């Protein structure tokens, strides 16, 4: 199973949380790609879509949430059968908003 872990506009540059999740998934036999967006990178949704993941996991913080909403619809439209999971600080603080606006199946 292919998993894409997505970090929209990661403010610290290194998405440690997503990397920890990736390590556990890889150890358990999943094929994982981590996407760490640079601010303003318009090719970003295309890179995720091109990887053809079965599962897309978003690591969300409030600062980058609006950007995530911008491209999440494109990802879901291109990959309608992919399971979409949102996690991170913003997902924890605002789970209803995330489930309603990010085209996701689960919030953790």
């Amino acid at each position: 199973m292919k998993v894409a872990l997505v970090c929209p506009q990661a403010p610290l540059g290194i998405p440690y949380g997503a990397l920890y999740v990736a390590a556990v998934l890889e150890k358990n036999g999943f094929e994982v790609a981590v996407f760490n967006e640079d601010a303003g990178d318009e090719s970003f949704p295309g890179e995720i879509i091109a990887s053809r993941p079965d599962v897309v996991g978003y690591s969300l913080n409030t600062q980058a949430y609006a950007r995530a909403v911008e491209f999440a619809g494109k990802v879901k439209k291109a990959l309608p059968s992919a399971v979409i999971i949102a996690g991170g600080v913003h997902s924890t603080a605002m789970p209803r908003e995330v489930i309603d606006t990010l085209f996701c199946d689960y919030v953790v």
Side-chain angles (χ1 to χ4, degrees):
M1 180 175 287
K2 293 175 71 174
V3 178
L5 299 177
V6 181
C7 305
Q9 297 178 345
L12 300 177
I14 300 172
Y16 289 111
L19 294 175
Y20 294 141
V21 171
V24 171
L25 290 170
E26 285 180 346
K27 187 175 181 179
N28 287 282
F30 292 87
E31 183 180 336
V32 182
V34 177
F35 296 89
N36 187 19
E37 179 193 27
D38 289 329
D41 182 358
E42 293 306 317
S43 68
F44 191 64
E47 295 172 15
I48 299 162
I49 293 164
S51 73
R52 309 298 303 166
D54 302 299
V55 176
V56 178
Y58 292 103
S59 178
L60 302 172
N61 63 55
T62 302
Q63 173 187 350
Y65 187 70
R67 174 66 179 143
V69 170
E70 270 183 51
F71 65 75
K74 294 176 187 175
V75 172
K76 187 61 175 176
K77 183 176 180 180
L79 304 167
S81 63
V83 174
I84 310 297
I85 303 169
V89 175
H90 191 82
S91 299
T92 299
M94 306 291 290
R96 177 54 46 199
E97 175 190 27
V98 172
I99 202 97
D100 288 344
T101 62
L102 197 69
F103 307 95
C104 64
D105 301 297
Y106 302 99
V107 173
V108 295

